[in-house]
Amino acid sequence: MHMADALVSPAVGGTLWAASAAMIAYSSSRVRKNLDERKVPLMGALGAFVFAAQMINFTIPATGSSGHLGGGLLLAILLGPYAAFLTIASVLMVQALFFADGGLLALGCNIINLGAFPAFIAYPLIYKKLVGRKTCQSRMVMAGVIAALVGLQLGSLGVVLQTVVSGVSALPFNTFLLLMQPIHLVIGVVEGVVTVLVVSFIYRARPEVLDSAHQDKPLGELPMRPLLAILIISALLIGGGLSWFASESPDGLEWSIARITGSDELPETDHKGHKQLAAIQEKTALLPGYSLPAETRDAHDPTPTAAEERIGTSLAGIVGGTITLSFCLLIGIFLKRRAHSQRIQASR
Amino acid sequence: MSHHKVEVKDLRYVYPDGTVALHDVSFRIHHGESVAIVGANGAGKSTLLLHLNGYLSATSGKIVIGDIQLAKHNLTEIRRTVGMVFQDPDDQLFMPTVFDDIAFGPLNMGLAAAEVESRVTEALERVGAANLRNKPPYHLSGGEKKRVAIATVLSMLPEILVLDEPTNGLDPYARRQLIALLQAFHHTRIVTSHDLDMVLELCERTIILQEGRVMADGPTLDIFGNEELLKTCRLEKPLAMQGCPICSPGSRVMPEQKPLVPPHGDKNHDHEH
Amino acid sequence: MLAIDGSLLDFKQLDLLAMRQTAIHRLDPRAKVLTTLIFIICVVSFGRYEISAMLPFLIYPVVLMTVGDLPGGYLLRKILIVIPFALVIGIFNPVFDRQVIMQFGPFEIWGGWISCMSILMRAILTTSVALILVAVTGFPATCEALEKLGMPKVFAVQLLFLYRYIFVLTDESVRTSRARQLRTFGRRGLGIRQFGSMIGHLLLRTWNRAERIHMAMLSRGFSGEFHTTHRQSRFGREEIVFMGGWIAFFVLFRVYNAPQLLGRLFTGTMP
């Protein structure tokens, strides 16, 4: 599943953006260094292939629902981790821009979830280790399924963590996890089977294609370190962001922890930062005084809690909102008219 | 001017799996000549072409372009001299716009920006596609793609043009346009094709390949006049040389002359009466 | 099948829109990319229950759409296709967040509904500006802008190649699945084995094509280094005005909830 901009907070989105940008930079330099120039058009064409392949749906046996190829693991098998990572990242970027699938800020999350996990963990640490040097059908099937499974489980765990830490969605961690992981278990098995089917098809038709990918430098050992470092650093950063959220804002983890533990009210927080934030929120919220629980409001809060006042401010929000909306519309109509009349003048 | 000659001597190419694709092929093409290489599917035409700019390297034998014998160290120079136009223009046009594509070769040659600019303009005008300059390749028609593909090669100012199936997949109008364009070139031209009518118009000389061997090499008209030879090489006289079946009914058995109903069918019909 | 053909057409149309010549199209791509990013960051940084404060941000997509001469209906349809993905998650909010936040007589409105609406609003704003960015800039120019802003060249080249061959390969994919459908005689669904070999064939063709492209590149002197001429673009006065103006606008409306203030003015509840 793609993370969407609408569900991501700037801290989470920004952190993962930075992490994925670092990974892209590192992978680019790796691809550049042991440049096999044949790979330049190959990566592009295979990226387009994933795009094209995703347009074709197949029926998942025994369920009646349909699925399509994810392609992360397949690309890693065909291209090796670094080139595959860049290829997946490029596919995700086109999806974000052309289909607004995911979104620009959430792009970092998606690149990590759908690119880094299959390319840097599922393929080198699982698939390659399990398949070993010899390519035999049954081992390939097993390795493919397990690798795809792990890759997708990690990816969906990423989605859950990023969503919960962002705190835009109210889904509690446990519930969301229980929702996502089993679905991705099924998707993982299917992805693994499809990947192996395609790989063994290629193996029969043109074995040298797979050999060339295998002859790439072994990627299981040394060069993985910087990447793991990036992963760990970004995890720490997220953790940092997480605690920042927990201490300064009711949004985010604290809030979802409160949900999980079943208490409807948030624990009191008396940080200075929180008060400032609350003050800003008072100024900016549609419904000031309601976006924060009563306990956290303090003395200088100008809004009384009387019932009429509530309706008054809510009304203010709605009236003001309507005026703003009509204003947007008017600007649009005005500009369109002007452009139209200019065009008429130009054509005269 | 021996400068732009192409000489292929005892060229032999064996695929990694042991299949012999070319059996000691030899020929010599002079400056300004326009030569067709024809043959059935799998005769070795494409393999031969891929040797001419060093993409494949011969198992044995040699290729001399101009005065240089093709070898690993002079590939750059050879590729500048021999301009290759591939069969599917989608393979050749890989850049975001027509301009970028035509500039690709000159930029790789290390030319200055101004020089690149003028080469692109010149090449586009040469193929009559100046209006397509800033378009992305996927918005072009088949004929436009083909002409732009030729321009991508012309911008490197090659002395020899090699074209693989240039008229493949074009509509009659675009095909006619392309033939006229190619006729106007003064380069040495080597063309492979199944479009023998185009060959008849474009090339004064034809080489027939069959199963990796040169079966014939001579003036196009002579070769296409030899029906026996064409038949053994799984080819057919170009339509332009066949005589029109409608205007000259004697020349061919026409379908209308056959009885429409099989004889025994008639008999059955009779029995019922 | 229609869906496949349709999404391909969609893709081509967005690309065609980018070839228009309006004041917005002519701006340096970097200005548009940066403005879009700042817009998105501002929007997603709003609090969970925020709706009205986001409304002024609609002005940006509306202005770009009209000045950039983009068909509103087309973009709206594209946005509507994507929004359900965010809503699938957002719809859980009313289930888990039942804190009463507003009361109109007997009607109680839970925080979950407000935050769900807020997610919808975010989705509309962020997806529309992403689509508009491509529609007024074009993909290659966007890549070029990102490259100038520090994206590695290898990745930029990858994006360009990918983009170029999407058009070729999706066409092939459409042809392949059309050919299959014409021989299935109404039996719906594609078995996983068939799918494997179908995709395998597509992959083989892709591989062969990549080799031919490589050949074509080599024969034009490619030696591993990618030279591109950048379109002439400069960061001039117009770009500074465009970026500066919009960023000031975003920051202003991020800090002050204008609709709220406006509403108070009209309803006389100004404190």
Side-chain angles (χ1 to χ4, degrees):
Chain A
M1 194 199 115
H2 284 44
M3 267 303 270
D5 271 358
L7 299 175
V8 87
S9 74
V12 172
T15 311
L16 289 167
W17 233 78
S20 64
M23 284 179 151
I24 287 173
Y26 183 73
S27 301
S28 296
S29 76
R30 297 287 315 185
V31 168
R32 206 184 162 83
K33 210 182 279 170
N34 30 349
L35 186 76
D36 173 7
E37 32 133 314
R38 272 184 328 145
K39 271 197 181 161
V40 175
L42 189 59
M43 282 165 62
L46 285 180
F49 158 77
V50 167
F51 227 99
Q54 288 187 345
M55 296 170 92
I56 304 174
N57 285 319
F58 58 82
T59 317
I60 299 173
T63 60
S65 61
S66 66
H68 64 72
L69 181 75
L73 183 63
L74 181 64
L75 287 178
I77 294 172
L78 294 172
L79 288 168
Y82 300 104
F85 176 72
L86 289 181
T87 309
I88 302 167
S90 68
V91 170
L92 290 169
M93 195 156 149
V94 171
Q95 282 174 342
L97 282 168
F98 270 83
F99 300 102
D101 207 352
L104 295 181
L105 189 64
L107 187 59
C109 303
N110 289 322
I111 290 177
I112 301 282
N113 297 344
L114 301 168
F117 290 135
F120 296 131
I121 293 180
Y123 171 70
L125 304 180
I126 297 169
Y127 181 83
K128 239 184 146 175
K129 296 255 145 83
L130 287 177
V131 165
R133 291 236 162 263
K134 285 179 212 126
T135 18
C136 106
Q137 183 81 23
S138 58
R139 275 184 94 163
M140 255 170 67
V141 174
M142 179 195 63
V145 170
I146 295 176
L149 212 64
V150 172
L152 275 151
Q153 285 294 305
L154 286 172
S156 92
L157 184 67
V159 171
V160 172
L161 278 175
Q162 289 147 14
T163 309
V164 171
V165 174
S166 290
V168 179
S169 154
L171 265 173
F173 180 74
N174 291 354
T175 318
F176 199 13
L177 201 68
L178 283 175
L179 214 68
M180 289 286 279
Q181 302 307 100
I183 296 174
H184 283 83
L185 215 62
V186 179
I187 298 177
V189 172
V190 173
E191 173 81 11
V193 170
V194 170
T195 302
V196 170
L197 276 175
V198 175
V199 169
S200 47
F201 180 92
I202 295 293
Y203 189 70
R204 280 195 303 273
R206 284 189 66 181
E208 80 279 5
V209 162
L210 290 175
D211 289 343
S212 75
H214 263 267
Q215 275 158 13
D216 254 8
K217 282 193 175 169
L219 290 147
E221 284 81 53
L222 242 175
M224 290 306 294
R225 266 190 209 154
L227 279 161
L228 285 176
I230 294 175
L231 266 177
I232 291 166
I233 290 170
S234 59
L236 286 176
L237 279 173
I238 296 170
L242 200 134
S243 54
W244 178 81
F245 262 92
S247 63
E248 298 214 345
S249 156
D251 290 359
L253 199 72
E254 191 187 334
W255 180 76
S256 57
I257 286 170
R259 293 274 146 222
I260 293 161
T261 53
S263 71
D264 254 4
E265 270 152 81
L266 292 160
E268 266 182 71
T269 40
D270 274 323
H271 300 280
K272 205 173 139 223
H274 191 182
K275 281 184 193 160
Q276 280 172 350
L277 206 82
I280 293 173
Q281 221 157 352
E282 290 294 345
K283 276 194 213 119
T284 56
L286 159 66
L287 307 154
Y290 307 99
S291 52
L292 287 174
E295 296 97 309
T296 58
R297 252 185 276 124
D298 40 86
H300 74 260
D301 189 339
T303 331
T305 44
E308 314 96 78
E309 276 296 326
R310 288 192 182 193
I311 292 170
T313 40
S314 312
L315 207 63
I318 291 164
V319 171
T322 317
I323 296 170
T324 313
L325 259 182
S326 346
F327 184 65
C328 291
L329 208 69
L330 276 176
I331 287 185
I333 292 168
F334 170 71
L335 286 172
K336 193 111 210 162
R337 283 261 170 86
R338 217 183 57 153
H340 187 66
S341 63
Q342 272 175 352
R343 234 173 291 147
I344 289 169
Q345 270 176 358
S347 63
R348 262 178 206 159
Chain B
M1 284 259 286
S2 69
H3 198 63
H4 309 141
K5 66 162 195 199
V6 175
E7 191 181 352
V8 173
K9 203 154 193 287
D10 302 326
L11 185 69
R12 186 179 181 84
Y13 183 72
V14 185
Y15 276 111
D17 66 353
T19 322
V20 184
L22 296 173
H23 289 272
D24 307 322
V25 170
S26 299
F27 56 83
R28 197 189 169 101
I29 293 169
H30 299 282
H31 172 63
E33 253 189 310
S34 176
V35 180
I37 297 177
V38 300
N41 290 330
K45 299 177 304 249
S46 299
T47 314
L48 177 59
L49 288 197
L50 291 179
H51 278 87
L52 294 182
N53 76 344
Y55 186 79
L56 292 178
S57 40
T59 313
S60 66
K62 66 171 184 177
I63 293 172
V64 182
I65 309 280
D67 301 320
I68 315 167
Q69 179 173 348
L70 196 148
K72 267 233 149 58
H73 63 88
N74 55 29
L75 278 184
T76 334
E77 209 175 332
I78 295 285
R79 284 173 182 164
R80 188 178 308 180
T81 317
V82 182
M84 274 275 227
V85 181
F86 289 86
Q87 185 173 349
D88 184 350
D90 273 331
D91 296 340
Q92 189 141 13
L93 306 176
F94 43 78
M95 297 292 279
T97 65
V98 166
F99 177 91
D100 291 328
D101 241 315
I102 302 178
F104 184 84
L107 283 171
N108 281 333
M109 290 160 69
L111 298 178
E115 173 73 8
V116 172
E117 181 78 30
S118 74
R119 289 234 184 153
V120 173
T121 312
E122 224 169 274
L124 273 173
E125 273 166 15
R126 194 79 188 73
V127 300
N131 56 325
L132 305 177
R133 189 185 177 94
N134 292 317
K135 281 205 171 180
Y138 37 84
H139 290 314
L140 304 181
S141 72
E144 287 171 337
K145 274 185 190 169
K146 203 84 210 188
R147 278 183 287 144
V148 172
I150 292 172
T152 64
V153 167
L154 289 182
S155 65
M156 300 193 297
L157 305 183
E159 276 126 18
I160 299 154
L161 275 181
V162 178
L163 303 111
D164 193 5
E165 297 278 1
T167 53
N168 196 19
L170 297 185
D171 63 45
Y173 179 77
R175 172 179 174 274
R176 180 61 38 212
Q177 256 188 332
L178 188 81
I179 292 174
L181 175 67
L182 294 178
Q183 273 170 336
F185 286 152
H186 298 294
H187 304 81
T188 307
R189 278 150 291 166
I190 302 173
V191 180
T192 71
S193 189
H194 293 302
D195 179 356
L196 299 189
D197 284 278
M198 179 214 44
V199 169
L200 197 60
E201 281 184 64
L202 201 62
C203 307
E204 64 270 12
R205 178 176 160 198
T206 294
I207 295 171
I208 298 187
L209 277 188
Q210 200 198 6
E211 285 165 6
R213 289 172 220 273
V214 176
M215 290 296 282
D217 181 353
T220 302
L221 272 176
D222 293 356
I223 286 186
F224 287 170
N226 186 342
E227 288 201 45
E228 206 54 43
L229 173 73
L230 290 178
K231 210 171 168 189
T232 52
C233 298
R234 296 175 56 185
L235 295 168
E236 203 175 61
K237 245 187 190 180
L239 292 173
M241 286 173 76
Q242 283 184 5
C244 177
I246 296 163
C247 311
S248 48
S251 67
R252 274 182 111 191
V253 182
M254 291 181 51
E256 287 88 348
Q257 291 171 334
K258 285 181 186 162
L260 284 173
V261 185
H264 65 272
D266 269 335
K267 269 183 211 153
N268 284 343
H269 197 75
D270 285 343
H271 277 297
E272 276 175 26
H273 281 272
Chain C
M1 186 52 51
L2 268 175
I4 296 184
D5 285 335
S7 68
L8 189 61
L9 275 177
D10 240 29
F11 200 75
K12 283 185 179 158
Q13 189 173 354
L14 201 54
D15 194 75
L16 281 173
L17 289 178
M19 297 206 296
R20 299 195 174 176
Q21 287 290 331
T22 70
I24 300 279
H25 283 82
R26 279 191 295 270
L27 285 174
D28 186 304
R30 279 173 293 180
K32 289 179 270 186
V33 169
L34 288 174
T35 311
T36 305
L37 281 178
I38 291 167
F39 175 93
I40 292 174
I41 291 170
C42 283
V43 166
V44 300
S45 71
F46 274 113
R48 195 167 66 233
Y49 299 118
E50 208 85 60
I51 299 172
S52 70
M54 283 185 206
L55 289 174
F57 283 81
L58 272 172
I59 292 175
Y60 178 68
V62 166
V63 167
L64 257 69
M65 237 163 72
T66 40
V67 178
D69 196 18
L70 306 176
Y74 165 75
L75 287 178
L76 203 68
R77 214 183 61 233
K78 277 193 79 100
I79 294 166
L80 285 179
I81 294 170
V82 190
I83 280 176
F85 291 107
L87 266 188
V88 163
I89 301 300
I91 207 71
F92 282 99
N93 281 13
V95 178
F96 291 99
D97 180 3
R98 298 195 172 184
Q99 191 181 355
V100 176
I101 235 172
M102 210 196 279
Q103 199 148 19
F104 289 103
F107 296 105
E108 286 181 344
I109 294 180
W110 298 335
W113 287 116
I114 302 289
S115 57
C116 179
M117 286 284 287
S118 173
I119 288 177
L120 184 67
M121 193 68 207
R122 284 157 209 264
I124 291 171
L125 286 172
T126 52
T127 51
S128 64
V129 293
L131 291 172
I132 287 171
L133 173 67
V134 190
V136 297
T137 314
F139 189 77
T142 308
C143 286
E144 208 171 275
L146 288 171
E147 196 191 330
K148 282 183 193 159
L149 293 169
M151 188 170 73
K153 183 150 193 171
V154 176
F155 193 58
V157 169
Q158 161 63 13
L159 282 168
L160 289 181
F161 263 96
L162 165 67
Y163 185 65
R164 169 67 183 91
Y165 284 98
I166 279 177
F167 291 92
V168 178
L169 290 181
T170 43
D171 264 339
E172 269 183 29
S173 161
V174 167
R175 282 203 303 270
T176 308
S177 61
R178 197 182 287 143
R180 186 198 74 87
Q181 249 203 355
L182 289 175
R183 287 181 293 161
T184 50
F185 303 105
R187 240 184 59 231
R188 296 174 69 94
L190 171 61
I192 206 160
R193 263 191 184 280
Q194 271 181 19
F195 176 81
S197 79
M198 201 162 127
I199 294 293
H201 275 293
L202 192 62
L203 178 59
L204 266 188
R205 286 213 299 273
T206 306
W207 199 282
N208 292 337
R209 184 180 290 280
E211 283 177 347
R212 293 198 304 271
I213 299 164
H214 183 233
M215 252 189 272
M217 291 167 76
L218 283 183
S219 63
R220 284 194 276 151
F222 179 70
S223 54
E225 197 58 44
F226 229 83
H227 309 273
T228 37
T229 48
H230 285 304
R231 264 156 286 267
Q232 277 186 342
S233 62
R234 51 182 199 93
F235 215 86
R237 231 187 66 213
E238 277 117 44
E239 282 76 17
I240 292 169
V241 170
F242 177 85
M243 255 185 89
W246 280 116
I247 291 172
F249 178 91
F250 299 155
V251 171
L252 191 73
F253 286 92
R254 175 64 190 84
V255 177
Y256 294 102
N257 184 343
Q260 184 75 43
L261 294 173
L262 207 66
R264 287 194 179 181
L265 203 68
F266 274 85
T267 56
T269 50
M270 206 70 163

